[in-house]
Amino acid sequence: MLTSIILISFITLKEIQMQTNSQLYQVSDIEHKIDLLSSKLWLLQQYHDEDALVQTRDAHEELKLLLNKKLFTHKNKIIIVANLIRMNANLGTLLELSQKDLESQFRHGITSPAGMLSARYSMTLQSMNEDLGKLERLAIKDSEISQRKILFAVILLMVVGSAVVMALTLFTLKTFNTNLNALTVGIKDLAKGNLNSRIEIHDTDELSILAEQFNLMKRSLEETTIKKDQLQLEVDRQTKELQQQREEFQHQANHDSLTKLYSRSAFEEQMKTAIARCGRTKQSAALLFIDLDRFKAINDCHGHAAGDAVLIQIAQKLLQTVRSSDIIARIGGDEFIIWLEPIENATQVITVINKLIEEFALPMQYQDVELLIDASIGVGFFPIDATELSGLLKVADDNMYKAKEIDGTTFQLTNKATVGFSDAKMA
C-alpha cells in the first residue's frame, strides 16, 4: 500500500510538472508572438510604409490565432488570456488608424496622429507584457500549490498507513503469541502425560488449526488408553528412528553411494569452507584431480561389476594414502579429487602423489582376475595457481590432460607452482 502511494505520488508530481512545462511553453509562445508584433510595430513607426504595415498585421493575426486557442483551463488564466485578446483587438483597431495615417499627410511630433498612435502602441504592449508576466507567475504558483498538496497528502497517507501497518503487526503478534503460548502449554501437558487437557481455540488462523489437530491427537491417545510410559517409549522409538533416517539421508546426499566418498556437491560445500580457512590463516593447499586410464576397457571386457569393484578399491587406496583430515571426493564416473591441507611445500604433495602411484601400480583383484589400471593426476596449488575453487579445478584439470599425454601413471604441475615453493625439488 505504501509503495503504491509513493509510486502514485511520483506519477502525479510528474504529470503536474509536465502540465507546468506545457503552460510555460504556451506562455513562451505568446511572449514570442508579442515580441514579434512589437518589432514589427517598431518598423512601422520608423518607416511608415505599406510593407511594414502588412508585416505588422500578419504578426497581429498570428498572435490573435494563438490567443484564440483554448490554452488554459484555470479561471484566472482564462481571464488574463481574455484580457490579452481584448488588448490585441485594440492593437488591430490602432493598425486601422495607422492605415489612415499612412494615406494622409504624415506629420512628426508627439501630438501628431503618428505620435499618439506610437504612445498607444507602447502602452498596449506594456500592458500585454505585464499580463503575460502575471500569467507565467500564476502557472508557476499553481504548480507549486499542487505539488505541495500532493506532498502533504502523501506524508499524511504514509503516516496513517504506517500506523495501520504497525497496528496490524502488533495485533498479529499478540494473536500469534497467545496461540503459541496455548500450544506450548498443551505440549508441556502432553510431555507430563496429561491427556485430559485441551487447548482452547478462539481463532481460525494457522496456529489455531494446528492446536485443533493437536487436540484431536490427544483425544485419540486418550481413547486408546495408551499409558504414559508406553507413549514415551513410542515417542522415543520414533524419534530415534527419524534421527537415524535423517542421518542416513544426510549421508546419502553427501556421499557417493558406491565408494562412500564425498559427492561433487558435498565436496564443493567442503571446499568453500576449506578455501576460506586457508585464505584466513595464510596456509597453502593442493588440489589433486585424478582420472583413471583404461577404466573403460575394464568395463567393456569384464563388465560393470568389475568396474565398480575397481572404483571401490581405488577409493580405499586413496583413503589409506592421504591424511584423515584431507578431503576426498568422487565427482564423476572415474574421476576423483583430493584436497591436501595444509602443505608447506610442493615436495610434500609430490610425496603423496608418489605413494598414490605405488598403490596404483599394484594389481586389483576381481574374482579370479587381476586388473591393472593407470591414473593421470593434475595438481593445482592454492594460492599460487588460483584462489577460487573454479580456478583450481581448471588448473588441475588442464594438468591432468597434460599427464594423459604420457603413458603410465603420471602427474603434472604448473610451471609457476614449481617455483612458488622455495624448497620444491622437481625431477
Side-chain angles (χ1 to χ4, degrees):
M1 179 183 67
L2 296 177
T3 303
S4 299
I5 291 174
I6 294 174
L7 291 176
I8 292 173
S9 64
F10 283 157
I11 294 173
T12 306
L13 288 173
K14 181 179 179 181
E15 291 178 353
I16 293 174
Q17 185 66 35
M18 293 176 63
Q19 292 176 0
T20 303
N21 291 338
S22 176
Q23 292 180 4
L24 291 177
Y25 290 149
Q26 293 168 356
V27 172
S28 177
D29 290 341
I30 296 174
E31 183 179 10
H32 174 71
K33 296 299 182 182
I34 292 176
D35 291 340
L36 179 63
L37 178 59
S38 177
S39 63
K40 298 303 180 181
L41 284 172
W42 182 84
L43 291 175
L44 177 62
Q45 295 167 14
Q46 288 293 320
Y47 297 103
H48 298 283
D49 59 0
E50 190 66 29
D51 289 339
L53 181 61
V54 171
Q55 293 180 9
T56 304
R57 283 178 171 172
D58 291 341
H60 170 265
E61 188 64 26
E62 290 179 3
L63 177 60
K64 179 180 178 182
L65 292 175
L66 180 60
L67 292 175
N68 286 333
K69 295 180 179 179
K70 294 183 179 180
L71 302 176
F72 304 97
T73 57
H74 193 273
K75 181 179 179 181
N76 293 335
K77 298 175 184 176
I78 294 175
I79 293 174
I80 294 175
V81 172
N83 194 33
L84 290 173
I85 293 174
R86 179 182 57 79
M87 286 187 286
N88 190 53
N90 292 340
L91 288 176
T93 304
L94 294 176
L95 287 175
E96 295 297 331
L97 295 177
S98 295
Q99 176 68 39
K100 294 179 181 180
D101 187 51
L102 288 176
E103 295 173 354
S104 61
Q105 186 177 0
F106 177 76
R107 290 184 299 111
H108 291 284
I110 192 170
T111 58
S112 65
M116 296 294 290
L117 284 173
S118 178
R120 291 288 300 276
Y121 282 137
S122 298
M123 292 174 60
T124 303
L125 289 174
Q126 183 178 358
S127 298
M128 293 179 75
N129 286 322
E130 291 176 356
D131 284 352
L132 193 62
K134 293 179 182 179
L135 185 61
E136 184 175 3
R137 289 191 296 272
L138 187 59
I140 296 174
K141 183 178 180 181
D142 289 345
S143 175
E144 180 182 356
I145 293 174
S146 299
Q147 292 180 6
R148 188 181 296 115
K149 289 180 179 179
I150 291 295
L151 291 176
F152 285 160
V154 169
I155 292 173
L156 179 61
L157 289 174
M158 290 188 67
V159 171
V160 174
S162 300
V164 171
V165 171
M166 180 62 70
L168 290 175
T169 303
L170 293 176
F171 175 76
T172 303
L173 181 61
K174 181 180 178 182
T175 304
F176 179 83
N177 288 334
T178 301
N179 293 335
L180 186 60
N181 290 334
L183 187 60
T184 302
V185 171
I187 294 175
K188 289 181 178 179
D189 289 341
L190 178 61
K192 295 176 182 178
N194 183 4
L195 301 178
N196 298 321
S197 63
R198 297 289 184 269
I199 300 175
E200 296 183 2
I201 301 173
H202 303 287
D203 299 312
T204 58
D205 53 25
E206 291 82 356
L207 286 178
S208 299
I209 296 174
L210 181 60
E212 182 179 358
Q213 296 298 320
F214 186 81
N215 288 337
L216 292 175
M217 180 190 70
K218 293 186 71 174
R219 185 180 297 111
S220 176
L221 291 174
E222 186 179 12
E223 290 174 354
T224 55
T225 62
I226 299 178
K227 296 181 179 180
K228 178 181 177 180
D229 53 348
Q230 293 176 334
L231 176 62
Q232 187 64 40
L233 289 174
E234 182 66 17
V235 171
D236 290 342
R237 185 190 66 80
Q238 292 184 8
T239 301
K240 185 178 180 180
E241 183 179 346
L242 289 174
Q243 182 65 25
Q244 291 176 350
Q245 291 179 356
R246 181 175 177 272
E247 292 176 357
E248 291 176 1
F249 291 154
Q250 186 71 22
H251 187 272
Q252 292 175 2
N254 293 331
H255 293 77
D256 177 50
S257 59
L258 179 64
T259 62
K260 309 306 178 183
L261 300 177
Y262 279 120
S263 63
R264 186 184 188 99
S265 59
F267 175 77
E268 291 178 352
E269 289 296 325
Q270 293 284 334
M271 286 300 298
K272 291 179 182 178
T273 304
I275 290 176
R277 181 172 58 250
C278 290
R280 184 174 60 255
T281 58
K282 307 299 182 183
Q283 291 181 335
S284 298
L287 182 72
L288 275 58
F289 196 113
I290 304 173
D291 184 82
L292 302 181
D293 300 328
R294 298 189 295 178
F295 180 73
K296 184 176 183 301
I298 293 176
N299 273 335
D300 294 340
C301 295
H302 303 283
H304 290 285
D308 291 343
V310 168
L311 292 176
I312 294 173
Q313 294 181 53
I314 290 293
Q316 293 299 319
K317 291 177 182 291
L318 298 179
L319 290 171
Q320 294 170 4
T321 304
V322 302
R323 298 167 295 188
S324 60
S325 60
D326 296 327
I327 304 173
I328 309 175
R330 180 191 176 198
I331 64 170
D334 58 350
E335 294 178 339
F336 298 85
I337 288 183
I338 301 177
W339 174 256
L340 302 177
E341 174 201 348
I343 62 170
E344 296 180 359
N345 49 58
T347 304
Q348 290 182 340
V349 179
I350 296 174
T351 300
V352 174
I353 294 175
N354 287 331
K355 291 180 180 179
L356 290 174
I357 293 175
E358 292 175 0
E359 290 291 334
F360 289 149
L362 299 176
M364 285 171 284
Q365 196 73 25
Y366 173 70
Q367 296 179 353
D368 297 332
V369 181
E370 289 187 349
L371 302 175
L372 293 175
I373 197 165
D374 295 328
S376 299
I377 304 174
V379 186
F381 286 95
F382 175 93
I384 296 176
D385 290 324
T387 58
E388 295 180 355
L389 177 59
S390 59
L392 288 170
L393 285 173
K394 185 179 186 306
V395 172
D397 186 61
D398 292 342
N399 287 333
M400 182 271 293
Y401 277 106
K402 292 178 181 178
K404 275 186 176 296
E405 298 176 359
I406 306 173
D407 293 334
T409 300
T410 57
F411 69 94
Q412 285 291 325
L413 312 173
T414 53
N415 291 331
K416 63 179 180 179
T418 61
V419 299
F421 295 99
S422 60
D423 60 341
K425 304 298 183 181
M426 302 297 172

